[in-house]
Amino acid sequence: MIPGTQEEARCGTYTVFENREAAAGRTIELNIMVLPARSAEPRPDPVFPLAGGPGQGATQTARRWANSWMRDERDIVLVDQRGTGMSNPLHCDMPGSDEDPQSYLQPVFSAKVF
């Protein structure tokens, strides 16, 4: 089900190696959602939108794509890239606190010279 709608989506995972170059070892699951085209005969080239924002998974944008004119003729394929959404997300502590809003504007990384 497409979140916030009554429409069906096709959901699943695709297994990839954590280290693509080695092509061996640990694997992770990439989360995938297909919003099917409304046409009885969709075009053969689906749309693959990329999510924006740090750590945002593409599947989190499904509701936004549900009513897109692009679905008239094409499937929309949403893939949570590795480290985002439900594809082995990375949870990093970021600086800043709500008690001190100015702290959100501080540099995230130091400029130490090695």
Side-chain angles (χ1 to χ4, degrees):
M1 190 73 72
I2 301 171
T5 74
Q6 296 300 313
E7 295 186 64
E8 294 294 322
R10 296 189 303 265
C11 302
T13 59
Y14 181 70
T15 304
V16 297
F17 288 110
E18 188 174 61
N19 182 339
R20 292 178 295 197
E21 191 172 316
R26 294 189 327 183
T27 60
I28 61 173
E29 303 289 320
L30 298 182
N31 187 45
I32 300 172
M33 179 184 285
V34 178
L35 310 181
R38 294 184 185 101
S39 170
E41 295 183 33
R43 292 184 180 240
D45 51 341
V47 175
F48 283 79
L50 300 176
Q56 180 186 33
T59 59
Q60 294 169 320
T61 67
R63 185 175 181 180
R64 186 175 320 143
W65 289 101
N67 294 319
S68 172
W69 59 269
M70 289 187 227
R71 284 189 62 207
D72 291 345
E73 296 184 345
R74 290 180 170 82
D75 292 342
I76 295 181
V77 182
L78 304 171
V79 179
D80 289 349
Q81 299 172 60
R82 55 180 67 222
T84 70
M86 293 176 59
S87 293
N88 201 34
L90 302 175
H91 301 287
C92 302
D93 292 328
M94 298 300 287
S97 72
D98 289 345
E99 292 78 35
D100 179 18
Q102 183 68 31
S103 64
Y104 287 119
L105 304 175
Q106 302 304 315
V108 176
F109 303 105
S110 66
K112 293 181 183 177
V113 177
F114 296 95

